Every structure is written in C-alpha cells, then in structure tokens.
Amino acid sequence: MSQTPDTIVHLMRHGEVYNPEGVLYGRRDGFHLSELGRQMAQKVADTVQDRDIVHLRVSPLERAQETAAPLATLRGLDIVTDERIIESTNVFEGKRFGEGDGTLKNPRNWRYLYNPWKPSWGEPYRDVVVRMMSAVRDAREAAAGHEAVLVSHQLPIWITRLHAEKRSFLHDPRKRQCTLTSLTSLHFVGDRLTQVSYSEPAGDLIPVADKKAPFSAGGARQEHRP
C-alpha cells in the first residue's frame, strides 16, 4: 500500500524594507525592498531552488512581490497574487515606534490598547487565521505531494504558526520567531498537519538588532528603529 507523499507549505516573510522614516507601513503602497532586502530574497532563492517547489503564492504588497521574484525566476514559476496573505490592518500605520518616538506613551492612543487578545488596534487574530489557512489549503492542494511557498508578512505568519501549534495568540511582538526572509514550514500528510519547522536561509545577512523587530526599517536612524 503506497503512502501519501508529504506536502510542505512554506510561509516566507519578505526581505528588509527601505523605510528611512521608520514608520509602521502596514498595507501602505510604496514600500519596497532595500538593497539588502533584495540580497536576502536572492539568497533564499539560491538556497531553496533545488527543492521540489511547484507553487508560489504572494501577498499583493510590493515588498512581498519583490521578495518572490528571484524564486519565481529560478524555478520558472508564475506568481499567484493572493489578497488573503496580505499584511494585517493596524490603526497605527504611519506612526513611529522607535525609542525616541513614544507613540504608545501618548494618552490619545491608549483607547486602542485595551484588548491585546483581539487585538483592539487592528485586524482580529482569528480573522487572520481564517484567511491565511484558506490560502494555505489552496496552496497545499495546488502543490500536493510537492512544496509551495507563500510570501507574506511577519504578523500573519506568526499568528498562523501559533494557531497551527495550538498556542495562545497573546504574545510579545519582540519575541516572534519570524525574522526577515525566514521560512515557517507547515508539513502535511494528506490534509493533516504533522509538523511545523522554521529556518532562516538568509539569516547571516540580517543585522542582529533587526532580528526581533516587529517591522523593518531599512535606512532609518537608530532612534527611529522599532
């Protein structure tokens, strides 16, 4: 009796973003990869190009599309743009969170912070899981018996991992294990999730101080980095 071959769906975070003002960019247009971010994307593509990747699904935001491009070229894959794996919404888009900025210390913003479980400042975590897992399912089916890559964003990837591992959504953003161009890999046998693994193919290119940052601020002064 033959066994059902494993299918792996890799959730890849985008590379470093050129963000000299150090703002939380969220879903805003116009935020592209920095030169270092492009190097990260290329290194990941070079590292995984010999894997059995047959499907590539990407957030519509520029930084994700640019991160996916080298892998699409090396593997000869079409990019499937998928709104379901876009960044989460956040009322603090356009604000700075560096040490010298004090966005969260401003009393006018406290009304958004009352419920970290939901969270009260943005898209509900449960809604994130529903849309992300729907895209994962479609990618798993498209790549059955092979591998797929979904290029997305830190928060949606991390919340999906917490869901997959049956962990609480309540967390410290500085402790997410989801650094730039990392791969959070969901392993399936048939439609059953059997394992979650994590790797950083371009980890050596990431500045140490940026590994735990909740968003990327390439080119920003130190006082404006999150």
Side-chain angles (χ1 to χ4, degrees):
M1 182 175 178
S2 61
Q3 287 187 325
T4 303
D6 292 357
T7 304
I8 304 175
V9 178
H10 304 281
L11 306 180
M12 180 181 179
R13 187 183 171 197
H14 60 78
E16 184 186 78
V17 177
Y18 180 66
N19 179 17
E21 298 301 316
V23 300
L24 176 64
Y25 36 75
R27 293 186 177 183
R28 293 186 168 201
D29 293 330
F31 285 87
H32 298 267
L33 293 185
S34 66
E35 177 56 35
L36 179 57
R38 288 191 287 273
Q39 292 175 25
M40 292 176 185
Q42 186 64 57
K43 180 158 189 180
V44 175
D46 291 341
T47 302
V48 305
Q49 65 172 311
D50 293 330
R51 296 186 66 102
D52 189 21
I53 298 168
V54 299
H55 184 72
L56 182 58
R57 191 172 289 262
V58 185
S59 159
L61 297 175
E62 294 102 322
R63 56 192 185 272
Q65 294 280 322
E66 292 164 3
T67 299
L71 181 59
T73 298
L74 287 178
R75 291 289 304 178
L77 298 173
D78 293 330
I79 290 177
V80 178
T81 299
D82 194 330
E83 292 277 353
R84 293 174 296 179
I85 59 175
I86 197 171
E87 178 64 281
S88 300
T89 58
N90 194 308
V91 298
F92 294 116
E93 281 187 15
K95 304 292 186 182
R96 289 174 173 164
F97 288 82
E99 292 182 6
D101 298 312
T103 295
L104 297 181
K105 296 178 182 178
N106 187 333
R108 289 180 297 179
N109 293 326
W110 293 351
R111 62 193 169 115
Y112 299 118
L113 305 176
Y114 67 91
N115 186 356
W117 290 89
K118 186 178 179 180
S120 49
W121 54 83
E123 181 181 11
Y125 291 145
R126 294 191 183 281
D127 292 354
V128 175
V129 167
V130 168
R131 62 179 174 84
M132 288 289 290
M133 289 304 296
S134 175
V136 167
R137 181 198 63 227
D138 287 354
R140 172 177 55 78
E141 292 176 353
H146 306 278
E147 300 182 32
V149 173
L150 276 61
V151 183
S152 185
H153 308 270
Q154 187 192 66
L155 179 59
I157 293 172
W158 181 245
I159 292 299
T160 301
R161 178 174 175 179
L162 293 180
H163 165 76
E165 295 179 336
K166 296 180 171 56
R167 295 160 61 187
S168 169
F169 291 146
L170 189 64
H171 68 280
D172 183 340
R174 297 166 297 181
K175 295 183 179 180
R176 296 170 184 158
Q177 189 184 37
C178 186
T179 196
L180 296 164
T181 58
S182 61
L183 298 175
T184 298
S185 303
L186 308 178
H187 301 248
F188 293 90
V189 174
D191 61 359
R192 181 170 61 92
L193 178 65
T194 60
Q195 179 186 353
V196 178
S197 61
Y198 176 81
S199 61
E200 298 178 0
D204 61 313
L205 297 179
I206 304 169
V208 173
D210 293 342
K211 286 204 168 189
K212 295 185 179 298
F215 61 92
S216 182
R221 298 198 305 271
Q222 188 59 43
E223 63 267 28
H224 295 319
R225 289 178 173 268

